[in-house]
Every structure is written in C-alpha cells, then in structure tokens.
C-alpha cells in the first residue's frame, strides 16, 4: 500500500463511516475535503464527477506500490474492500450467521435511514415539494432507529454484535449524530446509546468525529 486518499465531507455520515474503517484498521490516509454546500456543492463540479460520477462522498483512492490505482465510492463497498485488504482487526465476525446479522444491522442504516435524509433528497422535499424537510428526515430516523433498537437485542454485547467493533457500530455512531441534528428524541433507544458510548471511548472513533476534521465548520 503506497498511498490512500479519502475525498469526504466532515459532517457526511458516509464519509465518517470510511474514516472509522480506516482508523480502526490503522490505515494512514490523506483527507481531501469536498464541500457539499459551497458554490452549489463541490461534489457537482466536473473535476469531482470524473472521480465519482454519482457526485457524492466519499470516494477512496488506493494507490498500490506498483503504481496501480484503485478507486471506490459507496461507503459499504469501501468498508468491504478495507476488510479484505487489511483483515485484522476484523470488522466482521468469523461466524457466517453473525456476519450476516452484522451486515443486516449496517444495512438498516445504510439502506433504511440514510438515503431518506440525504442532502439531495431533503433539498427536493424542501424546494420542490414545499414540505418540511426536517420533519421528513426525523420521521425516517425514528422509524429506522426503532427497528435497529429491536434488532440489535439478538446480538448486542458491549457493541452491536458481541464484544468486538463491527460494521454495525461503524454505521450506528454517525447515524445517531445525524438524528440529534434533527432533534430526534433518542431516549427510546437505550441499547443504541449504550453502544455509542462504548464506541466513543475508542481513539479510532474519537479521531473520526466531525469536529476533528480539517474542513469542520462552526455550528
């Protein structure tokens, strides 16, 4: 591994997941900020679209020692790649059923919550549908987190799946941050809050926090 670059945005939950994966795996990386709001959003510029045709963050560039470049977008695909390239510490359990449960919990966030609160979605709800975009996003956060609180009961230890950090925790922590920004009452989710607190004791999680990123803005 010669050099790793992460194109992301400080408050993007998908970018945050990849920062966590890189930190937990101990992979050094160069962080390249993509401002999602300034000048209409840098993610829409031609230069960035050449890297990521969807015009979203994150994008990972992985340069091998022999000069070959690997480029990936979509946070779950990136996390899977990191897991295969740097197997230890593992972020997926060795047991097949628990691996599937881990992916299920992660996809509850990745597919069931985050797309419905994506910047492009909430802007359309606000600007085109003339509806309350925060109420929309908060509704889907409550719906998804309620499901996640119930589902995690089957496997929770210190973390979402037993006593080792997994993909499920990597997706949980950024999502709870997003829910707070929307004013969601998190008291109905005590297991998720307990797991979040355990995760945030770890240096890898602390370093990935949005306010510790080079492009962090005052809020």
């Amino acid at each position: 591994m010669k050099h790793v670059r992460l194109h992301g945005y400080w408050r993007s939950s998908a970018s945050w997941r990849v920062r966590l994966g890189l930190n937990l795996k101990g992979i050094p990386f160069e962080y390249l900020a993509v401002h999602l709001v300034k000048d209409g959003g840098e993610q829409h510029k031609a230069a960035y679209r050449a890297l990521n045709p969807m015009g979203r963050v994150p994008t990972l560039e992985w340069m091998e020692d022999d000069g070959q470049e690997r480029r990936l977008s979509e946070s779950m695909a990136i996390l899977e790649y990191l897991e295969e390239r740097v197997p230890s510490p593992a972020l997926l359990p060795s047991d097949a059923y628990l691996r599937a449960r881990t992916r299920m919990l992660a996809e509850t966030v990745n597919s069931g919550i985050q797309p419905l609160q994506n910047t492009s979605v909430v802007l359309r709800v606000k600007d085109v549908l003339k509806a309350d975009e925060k109420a929309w996003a908060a509704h889907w956060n409550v719906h998804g987190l309620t499901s996640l609180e119930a589902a995690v009961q089957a496997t929770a230890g210190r973390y979402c799946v037993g006593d080792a950090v997994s993909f499920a925790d990597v997706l949980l922590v950024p999502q709870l941050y997003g829910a707070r920004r929307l004013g969601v009452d998190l008291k109905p989710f005590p297991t998720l809050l307990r797991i979040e607190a355990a995760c945030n004791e770890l240096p890898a999680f602390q370093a990935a926090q949005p306010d510790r990123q080079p492009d962090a803005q005052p809020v």
Side-chain angles (χ1 to χ4, degrees):
M1 177 174 55
K2 186 176 182 180
H3 191 61
V4 176
R5 294 192 190 103
L6 174 63
H7 300 259
Y9 182 63
W10 67 290
R11 211 157 56 181
S12 155
S13 61
S15 299
W16 189 345
R17 299 168 192 168
V18 176
R19 292 197 301 266
L20 282 169
L22 291 165
N23 289 347
L24 288 162
K25 296 287 188 182
I27 302 171
F29 64 96
E30 178 186 0
Y31 181 77
L32 301 172
V34 180
H35 202 297
L36 300 187
V37 180
K38 185 173 67 176
D39 299 327
E42 293 178 347
Q43 72 275 23
H44 301 306
K45 306 300 182 186
Y48 186 72
R49 286 282 185 136
L51 294 175
N52 185 332
M54 277 291 284
R56 293 181 181 170
V57 292
T59 299
L60 186 82
E61 294 180 287
W62 180 294
M63 278 64 70
E64 302 284 3
D65 286 328
D66 62 5
Q68 291 189 66
E69 179 181 326
R70 318 290 189 186
R71 184 182 301 152
L72 290 168
S73 58
E74 301 300 332
S75 62
M76 288 302 299
I78 295 170
L79 289 173
E80 292 278 3
Y81 183 71
L82 297 180
E83 184 73 358
E84 293 190 18
R85 291 304 305 269
V86 185
S88 181
L91 296 179
L92 287 170
S94 58
D95 177 80
Y97 175 66
L98 291 179
R99 281 200 306 278
R101 289 288 301 192
T102 299
R103 290 184 170 107
M104 181 194 81
L105 296 172
E107 285 297 341
T108 300
V109 174
N110 188 53
S111 301
I113 307 176
Q114 199 276 333
L116 295 162
Q117 66 168 55
N118 192 281
T119 301
S120 60
V121 172
V122 296
L123 286 177
R124 186 167 181 83
V125 169
K126 176 185 177 183
D127 297 336
V128 178
L129 303 180
K130 307 300 181 185
D132 185 339
E133 78 280 10
K134 280 193 142 183
W136 162 274
H139 167 81
W140 292 112
N141 268 262
V142 172
H143 176 79
L145 292 173
T146 300
S147 301
L148 195 60
E149 174 73 18
V152 81
Q153 303 302 319
T155 55
R158 180 168 177 80
Y159 304 108
C160 286
V161 182
D163 295 325
V165 172
S166 71
F167 284 1
D169 308 292
V170 166
L171 272 80
L172 171 65
V173 170
Q175 192 57 55
L176 291 178
Y177 174 93
R180 288 188 181 94
R181 289 187 61 218
L182 294 166
V184 172
D185 179 9
L186 296 180
K187 290 194 294 293
F189 315 119
T191 311
L192 302 182
L193 291 176
R194 176 184 62 73
I195 293 168
E196 177 193 39
C199 289
N200 284 335
E201 292 178 5
L202 302 175
F205 279 82
Q206 295 166 9
Q209 287 286 333
D211 61 2
R212 296 195 178 188
Q213 305 317 304
D215 58 329
Q217 302 293 315
V219 293

